Amino acid sequence: MSRVRGRPAGRPAVLAVRGAALVLTLAAFAHTLWYGIAEPGHALCFAALVVTGELARWGAVPGEREPAPLGAAGALAYALLGRSGGEPTTHGAFQVVAVVVAAQLLAAVPHVARGNGPGPDLAARRILTVGFAAVCFQPLYNSGQSGRWFGDGPYFVLFLLLLLALTALCDAVLAALLLHSRTRYPYGPLLRDELRALIGIGSAVCATGAVMAIGVAVAGLWALPVLCVPLLLTQVSYRRFAAVRTTYRQTIASLARSTEIAGYTPHGHARRVAELSTAVGRELGLSGRELTVLEYAALMHDIGQLSLVDPVAEGATATLPPADQRRIALLGGAVVRQTGVDTAVAVVVEQQADPYREQPLSARIVRAVNAYDDLCGESAIGPLGALEQLRLGTGHDYQPQVVEALAGVLARGGLTQVRPG
């Protein structure tokens, strides 16, 4: 059956971001080596904080949005540090970047040895984000301009918060740009996802970075161990939450495979439909919880076949009469409700066989992608023939926009023919 090939990562935007990060890193190391390290004690303490944050993600679940919030907060705190114990510091933006990159390289050694080191895109994002904060703050503070403008009171705190907000926005823009360049999904929903993520762990990282910088400015380096403990505990708790969420998804995937084990559907059918449905959902602008519901519903869309006495030939429900399709969908929704999965997932499963004008968008996507995968199982039709069949059914069964979005996803990824099982 057909599936989407991996997309190449060599997009111009990806290369531009990586190139900019590399140039900034080389310039930072060259400047630091030429002029030496200012306040080596401070550089060592903040480097140790970044290393600790990176090592604290040991055993983290792959794909976490921010696997090392303590390291990110420590890097931001060093970028926003202008005083230590009431005395002015003299390190500049280039030294901030050099110290942070050196700490990340050191912390990455054990992760790389285990085969789960940070990817180049994530590393480039971190370098550019920290560099942005340092370049915006250090020259203004070291020249005394920020003191003349904001003083040392509440206006200075507001200045730090504004700078952190801009830094977070910069990181979100870079993250969405890199993902858009690799996947070609619409940029708007990707950016919206990244901005929504800032409300959670992102706000904690920014707030802790600002508090660390202010605390060290007043109390010196002794403030670091006290202020980093809450975020370290948050990091551990967040990782446990991510592990629970991953286990939940694995449980749903195992339930979805029950139809394959029982011989009702071809091997890999639920996984293919889920992957392609998620891609189509992103193409149509779904994000966040909507994509999660879509993925779970796509995984469990055929679970109603377990209630049948006789299996459907090759599990291809798309070729059944409409009444039989609706009966299987309703049976599937009833099974999903009994598993305790989100009710929204059961609604999508129940409505996947309805006329598309009566369906929510997620159900329209699951129905079209399921039909495409079923029709591809017929070797005489193939991927292109399956798409043509879907286009012929857009008058009643399939929404035209969903079919065209599916065609666009497949066209970018390439059409391949893979035999069932």
Side-chain angles (χ1 to χ4, degrees):
M1 293 190 181
S2 99
R3 59 184 178 186
V4 182
R5 290 176 183 166
R7 299 179 178 89
R11 301 285 183 179
V14 175
L15 297 178
V17 170
R18 293 180 183 178
L22 179 61
V23 170
L24 178 59
T25 299
L26 294 177
F29 276 113
H31 182 276
T32 304
L33 289 173
W34 182 262
Y35 291 100
I37 299 179
E39 292 111 13
H42 289 78
L44 182 61
C45 287
F46 279 96
L49 182 61
V50 174
V51 171
T52 301
E54 293 290 337
L55 293 179
R57 71 181 182 90
W58 192 271
V61 178
E64 288 183 15
R65 181 176 291 275
E66 178 48 78
L70 179 60
L76 281 177
Y78 193 44
L80 301 178
L81 185 66
R83 288 180 176 271
S84 177
E87 297 295 326
T89 58
T90 58
H91 68 278
F94 280 130
Q95 181 172 313
V96 170
V97 175
V99 169
V100 170
V101 172
Q104 290 182 346
L105 289 175
L106 179 62
V109 172
H111 292 298
V112 171
R114 297 178 70 243
N116 65 342
D121 290 350
L122 178 59
R125 267 178 54 202
R126 289 178 176 175
I127 293 169
L128 292 179
T129 301
V130 172
F132 175 84
V135 168
C136 289
F137 178 82
Q138 291 295 328
L140 278 178
Y141 193 90
N142 293 336
S143 65
Q145 192 66 43
S146 65
R148 290 190 291 271
W149 287 351
F150 309 110
D152 294 325
Y155 289 110
F156 180 72
V157 176
L158 291 177
F159 166 64
L160 286 183
L161 293 177
L162 175 61
L163 182 54
L164 284 171
L166 293 175
T167 302
L169 179 61
C170 172
D171 183 65
V173 169
L174 286 175
L177 177 64
L178 289 169
L179 188 56
H180 169 72
S181 298
R182 291 197 310 270
T183 63
R184 309 310 301 172
Y185 294 142
Y187 180 78
L190 295 178
L191 180 59
R192 187 170 66 241
D193 277 351
E194 295 297 330
L195 293 176
R196 285 176 177 172
L198 295 179
I199 301 175
I201 195 68
S203 60
V205 169
C206 292
T208 305
V211 171
M212 281 183 180
I214 295 173
V216 173
V218 175
L221 293 175
W222 293 105
L224 281 182
V226 176
L227 296 174
C228 73
V229 169
L231 191 59
L232 182 60
L233 296 176
T234 301
Q235 179 167 337
V236 174
S237 300
Y238 180 79
R239 199 173 72 192
R240 289 181 178 175
F241 170 74
V244 171
R245 186 176 55 191
T246 300
T247 302
Y248 182 71
R249 184 190 180 282
Q250 291 172 345
T251 301
I252 291 177
S254 298
L255 287 172
R257 288 194 65 234
S258 60
T259 57
E260 301 174 13
I261 296 173
Y264 283 83
T265 57
H267 177 71
H269 171 71
R271 174 183 53 80
R272 289 191 299 272
V273 172
E275 291 176 354
L276 197 49
S277 293
T278 303
V280 173
R282 285 193 178 276
E283 184 80 5
L284 292 172
L286 298 184
S287 60
R289 182 176 179 273
E290 295 172 322
L291 283 175
T292 301
V293 170
L294 173 60
E295 180 189 13
Y296 292 169
L299 282 170
M300 305 183 75
H301 74 280
D302 269 334
I303 203 167
Q305 293 198 43
L306 294 175
S307 302
L308 301 178
V309 177
D310 298 319
V312 179
E314 298 185 354
T317 56
T319 59
L320 294 176
D324 291 340
Q325 292 184 35
R326 291 194 186 94
R327 183 168 64 90
I328 293 174
L330 291 174
L331 290 172
V335 173
V336 172
R337 291 180 187 278
Q338 293 176 4
T339 62
V341 178
D342 189 349
T343 304
V345 177
V347 171
V348 175
V349 173
E350 288 172 344
Q351 294 186 330
Q352 62 175 309
D354 294 345
Y356 79 79
R357 293 178 179 84
E358 303 174 12
Q359 294 174 315
L361 180 56
S362 296
R364 298 174 184 179
I365 294 172
V366 172
R367 179 171 188 176
V369 174
N370 174 60
Y372 170 78
D373 199 72
D374 284 346
L375 292 171
C376 282
E378 303 177 19
S379 57
I381 296 180
L384 295 178
L387 279 175
E388 186 61 28
Q389 288 291 322
L390 294 185
R391 288 191 172 104
L392 292 174
T394 53
H396 180 267
D397 296 325
Y398 312 110
Q399 185 182 21
Q401 292 87 341
V402 172
V403 175
E404 294 310 312
L406 172 61
V409 169
L410 293 169
R412 287 197 303 271
L415 299 179
T416 60
Q417 185 72 13
V418 181
R419 294 188 178 275

